[in-house]
């Protein structure tokens, strides 16, 4: 594998995570290498006006009619050694609704919430890398924590529909396998257990990804799933107006693209959409970012 090809692979590990309401995993199958790393500044936007309720999808977000979530995120990763990486994610979120002035006045609501959301820090460890001639298999484990960075509110009844987070501290454990060929084709799969505080339901997330990494281009497609192991349904039995404790399941598909543009800089872009869910908006989102590798 030539140097340019390797640098491209190192760079793509920064742009796959866009921290909107339900993003893909921050853990990739590529390791940075000792002393190497990346910093990415990205902007994403997703919108939905249909919601997956139980037993069926409904048109229109309750109270707010439509929701748009914009996020500006810093994603940084650094190789402590060839086998250990540290990953950090910091997003600033703006959530907007389209409630009428009459509804806002009568219910005492606002159409916008914004602020720094939750900072996430992960440690990746890759103890095993098996070579098979023109291909290899890497096994990775990761441990992470996500915790609120600002004093944003969630206990506000209907206003919490556009809250920027759930004010929960979550511990995540991830295991993944990454298969890569010398011609640039790769495939990865991962599963994570997420253990939340403040009565927010725990969850299990999975992600399958296939892609291609060449010296001047990277692309992948993925399917990501989340299944809550507890919680209640919105407007269902046991629901008392506190939205963070709801059960949230979803299936999401997406695409990521990257190309270097000048020396150590590159640009990224991608799109995603939810194709199934429970207590979640049917969101479609897009993102773009600037990546710097060192």
């Amino acid at each position: 594998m030539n140097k340019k090809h390797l640098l491209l692979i190192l760079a793509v590990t920064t742009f796959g995570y866009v921290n909107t309401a339900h993003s893909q995993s921050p853990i990739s199958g590529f390791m940075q290498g000792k002393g190497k790393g990346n910093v990415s500044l990205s902007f994403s936007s997703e919108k939905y006006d249909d919601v997956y309720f139980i037993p069926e999808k409904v048109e229109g977000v309750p109270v707010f009619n439509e929701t748009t979530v914009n996020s500006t995120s810093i994603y940084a990763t650094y190789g402590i050694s060839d086998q250990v990486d540290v990953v950090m994610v910091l997003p600033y979120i703006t959530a907007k609704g389209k409630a009428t002035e009459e509804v806002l006045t009568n219910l005492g609501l606002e159409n916008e919430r914004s602020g720094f959301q939750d900072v996430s820090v992960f440690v990746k460890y890759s103890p095993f890398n098996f070579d098979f001639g023109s291909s290899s298999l890497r096994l990775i484990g990761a441990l992470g924590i996500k915790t609120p960075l600002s004093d944003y509110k969630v206990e506000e009844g209907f206003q919490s529909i556009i809250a920027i987070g759930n004010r929960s501290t979550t511990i995540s454990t991830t295991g993944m396998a990454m298969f890569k060929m010398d011609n640039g084709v790769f495939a990865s799969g991962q599963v994570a257990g997420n253990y939340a505080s403040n009565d927010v339901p725990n969850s299990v997330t999975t992600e399958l990804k296939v892609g291609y990494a060449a010296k001047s281009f990277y692309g992948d497609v993925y399917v990501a799933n989340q299944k809550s192991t507890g919680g209640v349904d919105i407007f269902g039995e046991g629901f008392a107006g506190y939205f963070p404790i709801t059960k949230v399941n979803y299936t999401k598909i997406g695409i990521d693209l990257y190309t270097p543009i000048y020396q150590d800089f590159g640009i990224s872009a991608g799109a995603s959409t939810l194709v199934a869910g429970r207590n979640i908006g049917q969101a479609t989102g897009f993102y773009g970012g600037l990546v710097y590798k060192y």
Side-chain angles (χ1 to χ4, degrees), residues 41-232:
L41 178 64
S42 62
F43 174 81
S44 67
S45 181
E46 65 179 22
K47 180 187 295 185
Y48 61 91
D49 53 19
D50 292 341
V51 182
Y52 289 108
F53 282 145
I54 297 299
E56 61 187 12
K57 183 174 70 174
V58 300
E59 295 183 359
V61 178
V63 180
F64 290 98
N65 302 311
E66 178 183 284
T67 299
T68 301
V69 180
N70 297 324
S71 174
T72 301
S73 299
I74 296 174
Y75 180 109
T77 183
Y78 176 76
I80 296 177
S81 71
D82 289 341
Q83 294 179 304
V84 179
D85 284 358
V86 176
V87 179
M88 187 277 291
V89 185
L90 175 60
Y92 185 91
I93 307 289
T94 300
K96 296 181 180 180
K98 293 188 69 175
T100 65
E101 289 299 325
E102 181 181 7
V103 168
L104 294 176
T105 300
N106 290 341
L107 298 181
L109 303 178
E110 298 177 347
N111 257 335
E112 182 175 323
R113 282 287 188 265
S114 62
F116 285 102
Q117 192 209 45
D118 305 331
V119 61
S120 301
V121 179
F122 294 83
V123 177
K124 292 169 55 178
Y125 177 50
S126 177
F128 303 110
N129 188 35
F130 305 98
D131 289 319
F132 307 102
S134 61
S135 61
S136 64
L137 175 67
R138 181 185 294 276
L139 302 181
I140 295 174
L143 178 65
I145 183 171
K146 182 176 71 172
T147 192
L149 187 65
S150 64
D151 190 28
Y152 61 84
K153 297 179 181 180
V154 293
E155 298 179 354
E156 301 181 284
F158 286 115
Q159 185 69 66
S160 65
I161 292 175
I162 60 168
I164 64 172
N166 57 25
R167 285 206 61 79
S168 171
T169 294
T170 302
I171 302 296
S172 297
T173 58
T174 303
M176 75 174 302
M178 171 79 167
F179 178 78
K180 180 166 60 70
M181 301 177 66
D182 286 350
N183 64 7
V185 175
F186 69 89
S188 66
Q190 63 177 276
V191 59
N194 308 294
Y195 310 96
S197 65
N198 297 344
D199 296 322
V200 173
N202 298 332
S203 64
V204 176
T205 53
T206 61
E207 184 178 280
L208 297 175
K209 179 179 291 187
V210 294
Y212 175 74
K215 68 179 182 180
S216 59
F217 173 78
Y218 170 96
D220 71 51
V221 294
Y222 66 90
V223 55
N225 292 275
Q226 174 174 297
K227 183 174 180 62
S228 295
T229 58
V232 299

